[in-house]
Amino acid sequence: MSFAIGTLVFLIVSFVGSLGVRLFYNQNPATNLLNITLVNTAVVCCWLTWAIVYMAQMHPLVNPIRKAEGE
Amino acid sequence: MATMELFRSEAMQLVQLIVPAESAHDTISYLGEIGLLQFRDLNKDQSLFQRTYANQVKRCGEMSRKLRFFKDQINKAGLIASSRPVLDKELDLDELETKLDDMEKELLEMNQNNEKLMRTRNELVELQLVLRMAGDFFTDAQSSAAYYQRGLEESPSIGESMDSPLLLEQEMQTDPSKVVRLGFVTGLVAKAKAMTFERILFRATRGNMFLKQAPIDAPVVDPATGEKVEKVVFVVFFAGERARMKIMKICEAFGANRYPFPEDVGKQRQMMAEVSQRLSELQLTIDMGEEHRTSVLNSIGYQLEQWIVLVRREKAVYHTLNMLSVDVTRKCLIAEAWCPVFAKPRIQDALHRAAMDSNAQVGTIFQPIQTKESPPTYFKTNKFTDVFQEIVDAYGIANYQEANPAPFTIVTFPFLFAIMFGDWGHGILMLIACLALIVNEKKLGSQKLGDIMEMAYGGRYCILLMAMFSIYTGLIYNEFFSVNLSLFGKSAFKCRSPDCSDDSTAGLIQDGHRVYPFGVDPAWHGTRTELPFLNSLKMKLSILLGVVQMFVGIILSYFNARFFSLPLNVWYEFIPQMLFLGSLFGYLSILIVIKWVTGSQADLYHVMIYMFLSPTDDLADNQLFPGQNVVQIILLLIAMVAVPWMLLPKPLIILAHAQLSAVFYERVMLNAVETGNIIAIIIGFFVFACATVGVLMIMETLSAFLHALRLHWVEFQNKFYKGEGYKFAPFSFYRLDVDDE
């Protein structure tokens, strides 16, 4: 369930970022498109790493086994 | 919908300009100020010397040589040429030429005079030294001779055959008639040569000489070479004319300067006084000359930059004019040039102004011409996007209007770097260093930097993004100088029993279905299973990211095919590539995700290998979802169809960074802390800090950078990017000035 919440957070970041570019750094349409692409590529990349690391820990095949004293 | 900036290179057009001869020069220099036309050489068959304006180019070359001479002189004199070029429009090239010519002559003459004066002065200084030092020899000798004489009187029985240090006086006293008169030569010789000088003298005169030398404390300027040399003053005594000749020759061979030295003490004093007086007079003259020279150089230096810029521009203008073909009537020049379509109004405006300013009767004709030739590639970059375009250009200049990887590279390059670098402590260090560069951007941009600095400065925005992504991936990997922190809440793992007795045997257990919300769970740190878990995770992470990147690359090839309306490329390149990649690596990626989500124990290696070897066999334990066999057979068939486009995956670089960092941390820092000795801890921390900065920051930065570069060039760009274009190189004064500095 929290995977969905995390993804939602990234979606919100992407939306806010795109909106921010449009509102606070408004230039000609071509440049705006580039800047929005940059923001979203960055968000997608970040989401991807987060999602991968998250999923990998959902059902780990090995569990953390602490090292014994002096190991 | 607007096309994305930077995605496609600017639309270009080949234009023809027919310029009236009288306004040609002005026109070209106005266009140079706009800097958006790339002229084509229309006189390729002519050598540089045969062209119309060869003479002017030569004159400009001569002038820039003179200017370089001035600059050199100014630098040598330790003055600073003013670095704010304000272009004086009134300055004419011909006037400047005569001016420069006069000034060069004046300066050369001054230099010559100065050189003569300096030579004389240096000679006088040496003479002064000789007079003083040699004078000392003689007075010393005299006093010791007197002392020995007293000794002789007191004990006449012993001292009969005793030599006084200087034979001269004694010999003369004992028997003036029999002795051959001793001659002597005084002078200076370089300290380094003094030993050999003595030996040679000794041999040449068969030992029949006496050399006395004394080193001078401070190095003196050699009159002949003008260099500072450590020297010794020498007096050599000899007998006979032949010996004198020999010694003279030896002196010459050794570059020993000889100076006259009167025997008479009175004359010595007189000479000394004369020399001092002449020296002070000479010094005055030299000082005045120097002052004059400085003022001349200063006045040159004030305008030098301006002249340099003017001459450089004029030279470039004539060079460009040489590329134009001259009409048979010689009334007009014809130029062909590439220009971006958006710049056409500005160019037309400049042409109009040029015609007005040069009072030409007819304006320049400006018309587009048709060509089959491929136009040059021109991307309008800014200071932020420039470095990323450079990274792409280093692989190859984009074909005209083909999809440019740069808009994606801006994010993915720093991101892939960070995937390999991932440590938010190191990331923060990098961010600080990079912010220092960006804050001082203006100051750094105007001065000359070292090679490494220049590189870091040029890539400052790339480094900024690399640092920011490194902080992000560092948080994901939970690495802070290879230390784990629980920033995002409690670990999702707990002990099996309340007393945690079996945490090193059975290990920790997941707390229900909870997953650590962001990044790698801190519980993994320092456990025995950390490495197997992280290696598996990072390998799969690499596969997934690599597959996504390759998909994006292939999708871009579709955009290219559609843009250039090449349906064949869509059907025979894009679709089979997508199918092939999707059915093998896409499938593998999906399997990885399914395995993670379901917690299946299936062996993916086994699944993938047997998908090829025996697709129909039962998967048994390795089945991840129902009907997997059928799906695999279909995918395999699709892949077979797409086989001609088979590309072997190149495994991504497994992330070795964290391990190396941990080694340093454990070996150096922890060992030092364990000793409990405060000094050991300080030293340990120092070594750890140096290792962090030296090895991890710089070396690892470079290696991660290179891998990111390789991933972009090889894995991403070769999916869609041809890179066989050529760069737009317009005739531009601005570029000219930048390149020259």
Short mmCIF file of all heavy atoms in Angstrom, two decimals, chain B residues 507-543:
data_model
loop_
_atom_site.label_atom_id
_atom_site.label_comp_id
_atom_site.label_asym_id
_atom_site.label_seq_id
_atom_site.Cartn_x
_atom_site.Cartn_y
_atom_site.Cartn_z
N GLY B 507 19.17 -14.45 12.48
CA GLY B 507 19.02 -13.15 11.87
C GLY B 507 17.73 -12.45 12.28
O GLY B 507 16.92 -12.98 13.04
N LEU B 508 17.58 -11.23 11.75
CA LEU B 508 16.40 -10.44 12.09
C LEU B 508 15.23 -10.88 11.21
O LEU B 508 15.41 -11.57 10.20
CB LEU B 508 16.70 -8.96 11.84
CG LEU B 508 17.91 -8.40 12.56
CD1 LEU B 508 18.17 -6.97 12.12
CD2 LEU B 508 17.71 -8.45 14.06
N ILE B 509 14.07 -10.46 11.59
CA ILE B 509 12.89 -10.85 10.80
C ILE B 509 12.11 -9.59 10.45
O ILE B 509 12.15 -8.59 11.16
CB ILE B 509 12.03 -11.86 11.60
CG1 ILE B 509 11.00 -12.51 10.67
CG2 ILE B 509 11.33 -11.17 12.77
CD1 ILE B 509 10.31 -13.69 11.32
N GLN B 510 11.42 -9.68 9.30
CA GLN B 510 10.66 -8.51 8.85
C GLN B 510 9.49 -8.26 9.80
O GLN B 510 8.81 -9.20 10.23
CB GLN B 510 10.14 -8.78 7.45
CG GLN B 510 10.04 -7.54 6.62
CD GLN B 510 9.77 -7.86 5.16
OE1 GLN B 510 9.76 -9.02 4.78
NE2 GLN B 510 9.56 -6.83 4.38
N ASP B 511 9.29 -7.00 10.08
CA ASP B 511 8.23 -6.61 11.01
C ASP B 511 6.91 -6.58 10.23
O ASP B 511 6.53 -5.55 9.68
CB ASP B 511 8.58 -5.23 11.58
CG ASP B 511 7.66 -4.85 12.72
OD1 ASP B 511 6.77 -5.65 13.05
OD2 ASP B 511 7.85 -3.75 13.27
N GLY B 512 6.23 -7.72 10.21
CA GLY B 512 4.99 -7.82 9.44
C GLY B 512 5.28 -7.65 7.96
O GLY B 512 6.26 -8.19 7.45
N HIS B 513 4.51 -6.83 7.26
CA HIS B 513 4.77 -6.58 5.84
C HIS B 513 5.34 -5.21 5.63
O HIS B 513 5.33 -4.68 4.52
CB HIS B 513 3.49 -6.79 5.02
CG HIS B 513 3.29 -8.23 4.67
ND1 HIS B 513 4.17 -8.94 3.89
CD2 HIS B 513 2.33 -9.12 5.04
CE1 HIS B 513 3.77 -10.17 3.78
NE2 HIS B 513 2.65 -10.33 4.49
N ARG B 514 5.83 -4.62 6.73
CA ARG B 514 6.36 -3.28 6.62
C ARG B 514 7.62 -3.28 5.74
O ARG B 514 8.40 -4.23 5.76
CB ARG B 514 6.72 -2.78 8.02
CG ARG B 514 6.31 -1.34 8.28
CD ARG B 514 6.16 -1.10 9.77
NE ARG B 514 7.45 -1.23 10.45
CZ ARG B 514 8.39 -0.29 10.43
NH1 ARG B 514 8.21 0.83 9.78
NH2 ARG B 514 9.52 -0.47 11.09
N VAL B 515 7.78 -2.23 4.98
CA VAL B 515 9.01 -2.05 4.17
C VAL B 515 9.55 -0.68 4.53
O VAL B 515 8.77 0.25 4.75
CB VAL B 515 8.68 -2.12 2.66
CG1 VAL B 515 9.93 -1.91 1.84
CG2 VAL B 515 8.03 -3.43 2.31
N TYR B 516 10.86 -0.60 4.61
CA TYR B 516 11.46 0.70 4.90
C TYR B 516 11.03 1.68 3.82
O TYR B 516 11.20 1.40 2.63
CB TYR B 516 12.99 0.56 4.95
CG TYR B 516 13.67 1.72 5.64
CD1 TYR B 516 13.41 1.99 6.98
CD2 TYR B 516 14.56 2.53 4.96
CE1 TYR B 516 14.03 3.05 7.61
CE2 TYR B 516 15.19 3.58 5.59
CZ TYR B 516 14.91 3.83 6.92
OH TYR B 516 15.53 4.87 7.56
N PRO B 517 10.44 2.85 4.20
CA PRO B 517 9.76 3.66 3.19
C PRO B 517 10.67 4.27 2.12
O PRO B 517 10.24 4.50 1.00
CB PRO B 517 9.08 4.75 4.01
CG PRO B 517 9.84 4.80 5.29
CD PRO B 517 10.31 3.43 5.55
N PHE B 518 11.92 4.57 2.48
CA PHE B 518 12.74 5.25 1.48
C PHE B 518 14.16 4.71 1.53
O PHE B 518 14.88 4.88 2.51
CB PHE B 518 12.74 6.77 1.76
CG PHE B 518 13.39 7.57 0.67
CD1 PHE B 518 12.65 8.05 -0.40
CD2 PHE B 518 14.75 7.83 0.71
CE1 PHE B 518 13.26 8.78 -1.40
CE2 PHE B 518 15.35 8.58 -0.29
CZ PHE B 518 14.59 9.04 -1.35
N GLY B 519 14.55 4.04 0.49
CA GLY B 519 15.93 3.59 0.38
C GLY B 519 16.18 2.27 1.10
O GLY B 519 15.26 1.57 1.49
N VAL B 520 17.47 1.98 1.26
CA VAL B 520 17.87 0.70 1.83
C VAL B 520 17.70 0.76 3.34
O VAL B 520 18.11 1.72 3.99
CB VAL B 520 19.34 0.41 1.45
CG1 VAL B 520 19.83 -0.86 2.14
CG2 VAL B 520 19.49 0.29 -0.05
N ASP B 521 17.10 -0.29 3.89
CA ASP B 521 16.86 -0.38 5.33
C ASP B 521 18.19 -0.31 6.09
O ASP B 521 19.13 -1.02 5.75
CB ASP B 521 16.16 -1.71 5.62
CG ASP B 521 15.51 -1.70 6.98
OD1 ASP B 521 16.20 -1.36 7.95
OD2 ASP B 521 14.31 -2.02 7.06
N PRO B 522 18.28 0.54 7.12
CA PRO B 522 19.56 0.64 7.87
C PRO B 522 19.93 -0.68 8.56
O PRO B 522 21.09 -0.89 8.91
CB PRO B 522 19.30 1.74 8.88
CG PRO B 522 17.83 1.96 8.90
CD PRO B 522 17.31 1.54 7.59
N ALA B 523 18.94 -1.58 8.74
CA ALA B 523 19.22 -2.84 9.42
C ALA B 523 20.26 -3.67 8.67
O ALA B 523 20.95 -4.49 9.27
CB ALA B 523 17.94 -3.64 9.58
N TRP B 524 20.37 -3.45 7.39
CA TRP B 524 21.30 -4.27 6.60
C TRP B 524 22.75 -3.94 6.92
O TRP B 524 23.62 -4.78 6.72
CB TRP B 524 21.08 -4.05 5.10
CG TRP B 524 19.81 -4.63 4.59
CD1 TRP B 524 18.69 -3.95 4.27
CD2 TRP B 524 19.53 -6.01 4.36
NE1 TRP B 524 17.71 -4.80 3.85
CE2 TRP B 524 18.20 -6.08 3.89
CE3 TRP B 524 20.26 -7.18 4.50
CZ2 TRP B 524 17.60 -7.28 3.56
CZ3 TRP B 524 19.66 -8.38 4.16
CH2 TRP B 524 18.35 -8.44 3.71
N HIS B 525 22.97 -2.74 7.39
CA HIS B 525 24.35 -2.28 7.50
C HIS B 525 25.17 -3.14 8.45
O HIS B 525 24.76 -3.39 9.58
CB HIS B 525 24.39 -0.83 7.96
CG HIS B 525 25.77 -0.27 7.95
ND1 HIS B 525 26.47 -0.04 6.79
CD2 HIS B 525 26.60 0.09 8.96
CE1 HIS B 525 27.66 0.43 7.08
NE2 HIS B 525 27.77 0.52 8.40
N GLY B 526 26.31 -3.57 8.00
CA GLY B 526 27.23 -4.32 8.85
C GLY B 526 26.82 -5.74 9.12
O GLY B 526 27.45 -6.41 9.95
N THR B 527 25.78 -6.21 8.43
CA THR B 527 25.40 -7.61 8.65
C THR B 527 26.15 -8.51 7.68
O THR B 527 26.73 -8.04 6.70
CB THR B 527 23.88 -7.80 8.44
OG1 THR B 527 23.58 -7.44 7.09
CG2 THR B 527 23.08 -6.94 9.39
N ARG B 528 26.09 -9.81 7.98
CA ARG B 528 26.78 -10.75 7.11
C ARG B 528 26.08 -10.86 5.76
O ARG B 528 26.68 -11.19 4.75
CB ARG B 528 26.82 -12.12 7.78
CG ARG B 528 28.08 -12.30 8.61
CD ARG B 528 28.17 -13.71 9.07
NE ARG B 528 27.23 -13.94 10.17
CZ ARG B 528 26.88 -15.16 10.58
NH1 ARG B 528 27.36 -16.22 9.96
NH2 ARG B 528 26.07 -15.30 11.59
N THR B 529 24.80 -10.59 5.77
CA THR B 529 24.03 -10.75 4.53
C THR B 529 23.95 -9.44 3.74
O THR B 529 23.30 -9.40 2.70
CB THR B 529 22.61 -11.22 4.86
OG1 THR B 529 22.18 -10.52 6.02
CG2 THR B 529 22.57 -12.71 5.10
N GLU B 530 24.62 -8.40 4.23
CA GLU B 530 24.54 -7.11 3.55
C GLU B 530 25.00 -7.20 2.10
O GLU B 530 24.32 -6.76 1.17
CB GLU B 530 25.38 -6.07 4.29
CG GLU B 530 25.28 -4.68 3.67
CD GLU B 530 26.28 -3.68 4.26
OE1 GLU B 530 27.20 -4.13 4.98
OE2 GLU B 530 26.14 -2.49 4.01
N LEU B 531 26.19 -7.79 1.92
CA LEU B 531 26.77 -7.82 0.59
C LEU B 531 25.94 -8.65 -0.41
O LEU B 531 25.66 -8.16 -1.50
CB LEU B 531 28.22 -8.33 0.67
CG LEU B 531 29.19 -7.58 -0.21
CD1 LEU B 531 29.13 -6.09 0.08
CD2 LEU B 531 30.59 -8.11 0.01
N PRO B 532 25.53 -9.88 -0.04
CA PRO B 532 24.69 -10.63 -0.98
C PRO B 532 23.42 -9.87 -1.35
O PRO B 532 23.05 -9.80 -2.52
CB PRO B 532 24.35 -11.91 -0.23
CG PRO B 532 25.40 -12.03 0.80
CD PRO B 532 25.88 -10.67 1.14
N PHE B 533 22.82 -9.24 -0.34
CA PHE B 533 21.57 -8.52 -0.62
C PHE B 533 21.82 -7.34 -1.54
O PHE B 533 21.15 -7.16 -2.56
CB PHE B 533 20.94 -8.05 0.70
CG PHE B 533 19.77 -7.14 0.48
CD1 PHE B 533 18.56 -7.64 0.02
CD2 PHE B 533 19.87 -5.78 0.71
CE1 PHE B 533 17.48 -6.81 -0.20
CE2 PHE B 533 18.80 -4.94 0.49
CZ PHE B 533 17.60 -5.46 0.04
N LEU B 534 22.83 -6.51 -1.18
CA LEU B 534 23.07 -5.30 -1.98
C LEU B 534 23.55 -5.64 -3.39
O LEU B 534 23.15 -4.98 -4.35
CB LEU B 534 24.10 -4.40 -1.29
CG LEU B 534 23.57 -3.63 -0.08
CD1 LEU B 534 24.65 -2.71 0.46
CD2 LEU B 534 22.34 -2.84 -0.43
N ASN B 535 24.38 -6.68 -3.51
CA ASN B 535 24.87 -7.04 -4.84
C ASN B 535 23.71 -7.44 -5.73
O ASN B 535 23.62 -7.01 -6.89
CB ASN B 535 25.88 -8.18 -4.76
CG ASN B 535 27.25 -7.66 -4.43
OD1 ASN B 535 27.46 -6.45 -4.41
ND2 ASN B 535 28.17 -8.55 -4.14
N SER B 536 22.83 -8.28 -5.19
CA SER B 536 21.68 -8.71 -5.97
C SER B 536 20.82 -7.50 -6.34
O SER B 536 20.40 -7.33 -7.48
CB SER B 536 20.89 -9.73 -5.15
OG SER B 536 19.53 -9.66 -5.47
N LEU B 537 20.62 -6.61 -5.37
CA LEU B 537 19.79 -5.43 -5.61
C LEU B 537 20.40 -4.55 -6.69
O LEU B 537 19.72 -4.13 -7.63
CB LEU B 537 19.63 -4.64 -4.31
CG LEU B 537 19.12 -3.20 -4.46
CD1 LEU B 537 17.71 -3.19 -5.00
CD2 LEU B 537 19.17 -2.46 -3.14
N LYS B 538 21.69 -4.29 -6.54
CA LYS B 538 22.31 -3.35 -7.48
C LYS B 538 22.43 -3.93 -8.87
O LYS B 538 22.33 -3.20 -9.87
CB LYS B 538 23.69 -2.91 -6.94
CG LYS B 538 23.52 -1.97 -5.74
CD LYS B 538 24.83 -1.60 -5.10
CE LYS B 538 24.57 -0.61 -3.96
NZ LYS B 538 25.81 -0.26 -3.26
N MET B 539 22.62 -5.23 -8.95
CA MET B 539 22.70 -5.84 -10.28
C MET B 539 21.35 -5.71 -10.97
O MET B 539 21.27 -5.34 -12.15
CB MET B 539 23.08 -7.30 -10.16
CG MET B 539 23.53 -7.89 -11.46
SD MET B 539 24.43 -9.39 -11.22
CE MET B 539 23.10 -10.52 -11.00
N LYS B 540 20.29 -5.99 -10.22
CA LYS B 540 18.95 -5.90 -10.83
C LYS B 540 18.59 -4.45 -11.14
O LYS B 540 17.97 -4.16 -12.16
CB LYS B 540 17.93 -6.54 -9.90
CG LYS B 540 18.05 -8.05 -9.96
CD LYS B 540 17.31 -8.73 -8.85
CE LYS B 540 17.54 -10.23 -8.95
NZ LYS B 540 17.22 -10.91 -7.69
N LEU B 541 19.02 -3.56 -10.26
CA LEU B 541 18.80 -2.13 -10.50
C LEU B 541 19.46 -1.72 -11.81
O LEU B 541 18.86 -1.01 -12.64
CB LEU B 541 19.40 -1.34 -9.33
CG LEU B 541 19.46 0.18 -9.44
CD1 LEU B 541 18.10 0.77 -9.13
CD2 LEU B 541 20.47 0.76 -8.47
N SER B 542 20.69 -2.20 -12.00
CA SER B 542 21.42 -1.87 -13.23
C SER B 542 20.68 -2.40 -14.44
O SER B 542 20.54 -1.70 -15.46
CB SER B 542 22.81 -2.46 -13.21
OG SER B 542 23.47 -2.11 -12.03
N ILE B 543 20.21 -3.64 -14.34
CA ILE B 543 19.50 -4.23 -15.49
C ILE B 543 18.26 -3.40 -15.81
O ILE B 543 18.04 -3.02 -16.96
CB ILE B 543 19.11 -5.69 -15.20
CG1 ILE B 543 20.37 -6.55 -15.10
CG2 ILE B 543 18.19 -6.23 -16.28
CD1 ILE B 543 20.11 -7.95 -14.61
#
